Amino acid sequence: MEFSEKALVLRVGRFREIDAWVRLFSPSRGVYTAFAFGGCRSRRRFCGCLDVFNHVHFKVKSGRAYHTLLEGQLVNGHGRLRAEPGRLGMAVNCLKFFEAVEVPPPGARAAHDMLLESLAALSDEPAPPRLFPVYFRARVACDQGFFPSLSVCHACGVTGADLPGAVFHVEEGRFLCPACHRPGRGTFVRLGRETVTLLETVRRAGPATWGGLAPSSAAAGEFSRLLDRFVTYHLGLSWEHGTFVKN
Ligand SMILES: [Zn+2]
């Protein structure tokens, strides 16, 4: 059986000199691996297609045991990502995190659109914000249902707009107003109003708009700390030697 679809290239590896395996992510199939036999030689069938970050229209033959890529046509190579180390570093960080989270098929379409929008923003924005990979992690965690809403205190239900001095209890994944915060066992990250608003904005607004966010250094610090602790504890991931590893 053959099918054709657009997919994002997550990884490429070589084997047997001229053959390649390609890890792909498509909105309908999620993440899958396919082989491109002769892919490292064939300029006609895969011209400029077999590189990480490429969005490609592939023609695929699906066999019983594996998929084979028959040909590809480049849709978007996100060229500036490769030209500038700062952009490339942020894009690699986002992609590695995305792979490590292992988004299940039901969430693939939304995750695919968000990932493509992120790569486009990192490639096209005049100056992508330094916090972009942290926003990305927050957004993936929110979209996949890992991250609770911070609009109300999870203990007493008071609304979040007036919660100066609120904290996030990392291990319990609970947002607590000052009245409900009882310091004790666990890791608490203080969340000012600006940080709560920042997280809610990232949750709602697309990656193309993140360049317009300009948090204070205090909010940026709280936000980074929150995501760092949350991702380490709940997703079991930490960034080591250029990739996310499971703890
Ligand atoms: Zn409360």
Side-chain angles (χ1 to χ4, degrees):
M1 193 185 92
E2 285 182 19
F3 63 88
S4 66
E5 66 173 5
K6 288 181 198 160
L8 183 72
V9 177
L10 300 178
R11 282 190 207 204
V12 182
R14 279 183 169 218
F15 65 101
R16 287 196 318 214
E17 300 255 324
I18 61 165
D19 301 327
W21 57 262
V22 188
R23 197 151 167 79
L24 296 165
F25 181 52
S26 87
S28 57
R29 288 178 173 76
V31 176
Y32 64 96
T33 301
F35 296 106
F37 296 108
C40 302
R41 285 268 170 83
S42 177
R43 294 186 184 282
R44 192 176 63 78
R45 287 190 298 135
F46 298 110
C47 187
C49 289
L50 302 184
D51 270 313
V52 177
F53 301 125
N54 280 349
H55 191 212
V56 181
H57 198 153
F58 280 114
K59 199 166 165 191
V60 186
K61 185 176 172 195
S62 66
R64 217 180 268 171
Y66 55 84
H67 290 318
T68 306
L69 299 178
L70 300 175
E71 59 184 43
Q73 201 163 24
L74 188 63
V75 178
N76 186 347
H78 301 108
R80 275 178 83 185
L81 291 182
R82 277 177 276 270
E84 297 176 32
R87 293 175 194 270
L88 181 64
M90 288 196 270
V92 167
N93 189 289
C94 291
L95 206 63
K96 297 277 185 192
F97 180 73
F98 179 80
E99 271 199 276
V101 168
E102 297 172 355
V103 173
R109 187 167 296 274
H112 176 267
D113 293 349
M114 206 277 289
L115 184 56
L116 271 188
E117 195 185 327
S118 296
L119 294 180
L122 282 172
S123 177
D124 302 342
E125 283 274 321
R130 190 178 51 84
L131 281 183
F132 197 101
V134 190
Y135 296 153
F136 182 85
R137 269 171 256 161
R139 182 57 182 267
V140 172
C142 289
D143 286 355
Q144 298 304 314
F146 292 120
F147 214 96
S149 162
L150 303 184
S151 57
V152 297
C153 168
H154 295 155
C156 71
V158 67
T159 53
D162 293 293
L163 294 180
V167 298
F168 192 80
H169 189 169
V170 174
E171 289 83 354
E172 293 184 358
R174 298 212 306 163
F175 181 59
L176 301 172
C177 77
C180 295
H181 172 38
R182 301 272 178 273
R185 289 166 69 92
T187 310
F188 295 92
V189 179
R190 179 168 288 277
L191 294 187
R193 283 183 207 183
E194 191 191 346
T195 312
V196 172
T197 306
L198 182 62
L199 184 69
E200 294 307 311
T201 305
V202 168
R203 189 198 294 271
R204 283 193 315 271
T209 68
W210 295 347
L213 301 172
S216 66
S217 63
E222 286 180 356
F223 191 87
S224 299
R225 227 168 4 256
L226 172 68
L227 262 298
D228 185 51
R229 306 276 150 78
F230 187 86
V231 163
T232 303
Y233 186 80
H234 289 284
L235 301 179
L237 298 171
S238 58
W239 180 251
E240 290 175 22
H241 309 298
T243 193
F244 282 94
V245 294
K246 297 241 185 221
N247 298 318

PDB file of all heavy atoms in Angstrom, residues 153 155-158 176-177 179-180, ligand 1:
ATOM      1  N   CYS A 153      -6.839  28.696  43.160  1.00  0.00           N
ATOM      2  CA  CYS A 153      -6.083  27.943  44.157  1.00  0.00           C
ATOM      3  C   CYS A 153      -6.660  26.532  44.209  1.00  0.00           C
ATOM      4  O   CYS A 153      -7.877  26.348  44.304  1.00  0.00           O
ATOM      5  CB  CYS A 153      -6.224  28.611  45.528  1.00  0.00           C
ATOM      6  SG  CYS A 153      -5.604  27.566  46.872  1.00  0.00           S
ATOM      7  N   ALA A 155      -6.518  24.393  46.486  1.00  0.00           N
ATOM      8  CA  ALA A 155      -6.980  23.952  47.809  1.00  0.00           C
ATOM      9  C   ALA A 155      -8.312  24.600  48.172  1.00  0.00           C
ATOM     10  O   ALA A 155      -9.247  23.918  48.564  1.00  0.00           O
ATOM     11  CB  ALA A 155      -5.928  24.263  48.862  1.00  0.00           C
ATOM     12  N   CYS A 156      -8.415  25.929  48.009  1.00  0.00           N
ATOM     13  CA  CYS A 156      -9.639  26.606  48.471  1.00  0.00           C
ATOM     14  C   CYS A 156     -10.486  27.159  47.336  1.00  0.00           C
ATOM     15  O   CYS A 156     -11.618  27.577  47.555  1.00  0.00           O
ATOM     16  CB  CYS A 156      -9.289  27.719  49.461  1.00  0.00           C
ATOM     17  SG  CYS A 156      -8.478  29.124  48.675  1.00  0.00           S
ATOM     18  N   GLY A 157      -9.957  27.197  46.110  1.00  0.00           N
ATOM     19  CA  GLY A 157     -10.764  27.626  44.973  1.00  0.00           C
ATOM     20  C   GLY A 157     -10.812  29.119  44.736  1.00  0.00           C
ATOM     21  O   GLY A 157     -11.500  29.572  43.821  1.00  0.00           O
ATOM     22  N   VAL A 158     -10.077  29.889  45.524  1.00  0.00           N
ATOM     23  CA  VAL A 158     -10.082  31.337  45.302  1.00  0.00           C
ATOM     24  C   VAL A 158      -9.448  31.606  43.934  1.00  0.00           C
ATOM     25  O   VAL A 158      -8.556  30.889  43.497  1.00  0.00           O
ATOM     26  CB  VAL A 158      -9.326  32.078  46.450  1.00  0.00           C
ATOM     27  CG1 VAL A 158      -7.840  31.755  46.433  1.00  0.00           C
ATOM     28  CG2 VAL A 158      -9.537  33.577  46.359  1.00  0.00           C
ATOM     29  N   LEU A 176      -1.145  26.871  44.974  1.00  0.00           N
ATOM     30  CA  LEU A 176      -1.722  27.214  46.281  1.00  0.00           C
ATOM     31  C   LEU A 176      -1.631  28.706  46.566  1.00  0.00           C
ATOM     32  O   LEU A 176      -0.569  29.323  46.374  1.00  0.00           O
ATOM     33  CB  LEU A 176      -0.973  26.455  47.387  1.00  0.00           C
ATOM     34  CG  LEU A 176      -0.992  24.929  47.284  1.00  0.00           C
ATOM     35  CD1 LEU A 176      -0.060  24.317  48.321  1.00  0.00           C
ATOM     36  CD2 LEU A 176      -2.422  24.398  47.474  1.00  0.00           C
ATOM     37  N   CYS A 177      -2.744  29.265  47.037  1.00  0.00           N
ATOM     38  CA  CYS A 177      -2.751  30.678  47.425  1.00  0.00           C
ATOM     39  C   CYS A 177      -1.972  30.825  48.741  1.00  0.00           C
ATOM     40  O   CYS A 177      -1.705  29.830  49.425  1.00  0.00           O
ATOM     41  CB  CYS A 177      -4.189  31.177  47.551  1.00  0.00           C
ATOM     42  SG  CYS A 177      -5.003  30.642  49.064  1.00  0.00           S
ATOM     43  N   ALA A 179      -2.860  31.768  51.623  1.00  0.00           N
ATOM     44  CA  ALA A 179      -3.576  31.278  52.799  1.00  0.00           C
ATOM     45  C   ALA A 179      -3.455  29.758  52.926  1.00  0.00           C
ATOM     46  O   ALA A 179      -3.471  29.215  54.030  1.00  0.00           O
ATOM     47  CB  ALA A 179      -5.051  31.678  52.716  1.00  0.00           C
ATOM     48  N   CYS A 180      -3.352  29.071  51.782  1.00  0.00           N
ATOM     49  CA  CYS A 180      -3.312  27.605  51.809  1.00  0.00           C
ATOM     50  C   CYS A 180      -1.884  27.052  51.801  1.00  0.00           C
ATOM     51  O   CYS A 180      -1.691  25.846  51.954  1.00  0.00           O
ATOM     52  CB  CYS A 180      -4.062  27.036  50.610  1.00  0.00           C
ATOM     53  SG  CYS A 180      -5.818  27.410  50.649  1.00  0.00           S
TER      54      CYS A 180
HETATM   55 ZN    ZN B   1      -6.189  28.716  48.761  1.00  0.00          ZN
END
